[in-house]
Amino acid sequence: MIRRLAALLAALATTPALASTTAPAPLPPPYTAAYQPQGVDEIGLWKEMDEDERVLASSPILIRDEALNAYVRGVLCATVGAARCKAARIYILRTPLFNASMAPNGTMRVFSGLLLRVRSEAELGAVLGHEFGHFEQRHSLAAFKARRSGTDILSWGAVLAGMLPYAQGAYNFQTMQISVYGRLARFSRDQERDADLHGIGYLNGSTLRPQSAAMAWRNVMTEAERAAAARGQAHPRFDRVPYLASHPCDAERAETMAALAIPDGVGRDDGAARYAAALAPWLPQFLDDQIKLNNFGASDYLIGMLGEHGATASLWVARGDLYRARGYPRDLVSAAEFYANAIALDATLPGAQRGLGLSLLKTGRRTEGIEALRRYLQLEPTAPDAAMIGMLIATAGPGQ
């Protein structure tokens, strides 16, 4: 039964007509600030989100760096305008995934994986504007009511199905389940399309380049292609919408966003230089988190994209860490070369000396490896792994 259900859902996957909307997204209307929840459903939803935010504020994965938080808020304000921006409270979470969200009470979550992947203020503004669109259109409340109606239908359906002979009742109820879940998924996709429309509308009304929104999704698709290729998997389909998908397909979103951008916005600044400068202090940490996802193709693509205008010492270290983590003999040889490139640019990077030493030891170049590890301890004598590295030097030293 499960196989037949999976086959049915796969058969119901659709290929949407891309970029059906060609007119630019309209500019946002005047904003009414200090909105308060209305009705028992919305008031209850806000209270639940208030409690969730209270827990979120003390989360151990919350990034509290004032400069980074102020910068991300500045991008949101530049996108949606100062009046709307006051309604949002931003929380940056150290989570290496491409995502952001906004709760109905104004709590916006921004994942570090999103900050790693977008390349400009305009790309970040497109995502943040999309989330603000969900908030302004009160999508969470509508989705809550839709889910409640769906579960009400299924509850009554289960009662009625129980009155029928078992086989007929079970068949009818399963058919009803597929229909209800499909309608909820389509409702969610339509909300995402509406949020995309509002997100580009904010960008059209800002000073940032709205065409950058499409670039963010094209980069997401390229990353997925590289990840699949590195794993030996089939080329992913970006133009098909699974029956239960909560979001439109990536190809549809990229082409729709390109169509929604006003043509005369193409000459605007995208803020790429400012974005690179603001993210520079956090880039090594974000890359380290990404590498630990064990997704070689995606990580290699991201490092390459970050270094398209010239690799820095930190990017060489990240690439060395990536290859050393995969750990094939040929990877270790490449990793040693990448660390050497980093040291040539900045010999004071402890991570480069550490990675070089460990790579050389694993490839049989013991003397050179030990020397690199000693330089690492000289540069960072209080490193958390200093005792372990010291023991490694002692056991791998001459005569052992």
Side-chain angles (χ1 to χ4, degrees):
M1 177 58 72
I2 294 177
R3 289 183 178 177
R4 282 191 296 173
L5 179 60
L8 174 61
L9 296 181
L12 291 173
T14 58
T15 302
L18 301 181
S20 56
T21 302
T22 55
L27 300 181
Y31 183 64
T32 302
Y35 172 79
Q36 292 299 312
Q38 308 294 321
V40 63
D41 289 337
E42 192 170 23
I43 291 173
L45 199 58
W46 277 52
K47 286 184 176 179
E48 184 179 344
M49 293 300 104
D50 286 344
E51 178 62 21
D52 191 56
E53 184 180 2
R54 190 184 66 79
V55 176
L56 175 65
S58 58
S59 170
I61 62 171
L62 188 63
I63 297 177
R64 295 178 170 82
D65 180 77
E66 289 186 14
L68 183 63
N69 277 274
Y71 177 74
V72 173
R73 168 165 286 281
V75 173
L76 174 65
C77 294
T79 303
V80 303
R84 286 179 167 83
C85 190
K86 292 177 182 176
R89 298 177 298 285
I90 298 177
Y91 297 86
I92 303 175
L93 301 176
R94 189 177 163 188
T95 305
L97 301 174
F98 179 83
N99 203 1
S101 65
M102 190 159 185
N105 69 339
T107 305
M108 177 176 282
R109 292 169 172 79
V110 179
F111 287 9
S112 58
L114 167 65
L115 300 179
L116 177 65
R117 283 165 173 81
V118 297
R119 300 272 57 82
S120 66
E121 291 180 352
E123 291 185 26
L124 178 61
V127 178
L128 300 184
H130 168 95
E131 299 304 331
F132 196 90
H134 280 308
F135 168 75
E136 187 166 355
Q137 297 304 308
R138 302 164 67 194
H139 283 167
S140 295
L141 178 63
F144 168 76
K145 291 181 176 179
R147 289 193 297 271
R148 185 176 60 188
S149 298
T151 54
D152 286 349
I153 292 173
L154 290 177
S155 297
W156 280 110
V159 172
L160 296 175
M163 299 177 182
L164 298 174
Y166 176 76
Q168 182 182 356
Y171 176 80
N172 290 345
F173 183 68
Q174 287 169 356
T175 303
M176 179 184 290
Q177 280 184 308
I178 294 173
S179 175
V180 170
Y181 293 153
R183 288 177 63 86
L184 288 175
R186 187 175 65 179
F187 184 81
S188 175
R189 292 196 296 271
D190 288 343
Q191 283 195 326
E192 295 298 329
R193 293 186 178 101
D194 189 50
D196 282 343
L197 177 68
H198 283 81
I200 299 298
Y202 298 137
L203 269 184
N204 285 342
S206 74
T207 59
L208 296 171
R209 184 186 305 162
Q211 283 75 14
S212 297
M215 183 58 67
W217 285 105
R218 292 180 186 127
N219 290 337
V220 167
M221 289 187 282
T222 304
E223 180 186 336
E225 288 175 345
R226 299 293 180 82
R231 290 169 172 161
Q233 297 173 337
H235 189 283
R237 292 288 303 268
F238 300 114
D239 59 343
R240 291 180 66 83
V241 181
Y243 183 67
L244 296 179
S246 60
H247 288 64
C249 62
D250 292 343
E252 176 192 339
R253 301 185 79 173
E255 296 205 15
T256 302
M257 288 184 179
L260 291 174
I262 53 174
D264 58 358
V266 71
R268 298 178 187 171
D269 180 27
D270 65 357
R274 295 189 298 272
Y275 187 82
L279 265 290
W282 282 93
L283 207 53
Q285 184 65 69
F286 291 170
L287 281 170
D288 186 56
D289 292 341
Q290 168 64 32
I291 290 169
K292 289 174 180 172
L293 292 178
N294 194 28
N295 187 342
F296 183 89
S299 300
D300 192 50
Y301 167 71
L302 291 173
I303 294 170
M305 187 173 65
L306 289 165
E308 62 183 353
H309 299 303
T312 64
S314 295
L315 290 177
W316 282 120
V317 171
R319 176 150 280 162
D321 290 344
L322 175 66
Y323 277 68
R324 185 166 61 84
R326 192 166 68 170
Y328 294 129
R330 56 186 168 84
D331 288 332
L332 296 173
V333 174
S334 299
E337 179 182 340
F338 298 148
Y339 289 126
N341 291 340
I343 293 170
L345 294 174
D346 185 355
T348 64
L349 275 179
Q353 299 288 358
R354 180 182 183 277
L356 178 63
L358 294 175
S359 300
L360 292 176
L361 283 180
K362 289 186 176 180
T363 54
R365 297 163 65 181
R366 190 173 61 181
T367 303
E368 297 170 84
I370 290 173
E371 183 58 32
L373 291 178
R374 284 175 174 155
R375 287 195 294 270
Y376 164 62
L377 292 181
Q378 290 169 359
L379 291 169
E380 196 166 351
T382 59
D385 63 348
M388 183 195 74
I389 295 296
M391 186 163 49
L392 183 62
I393 292 173
T395 55
Q400 300 297 319

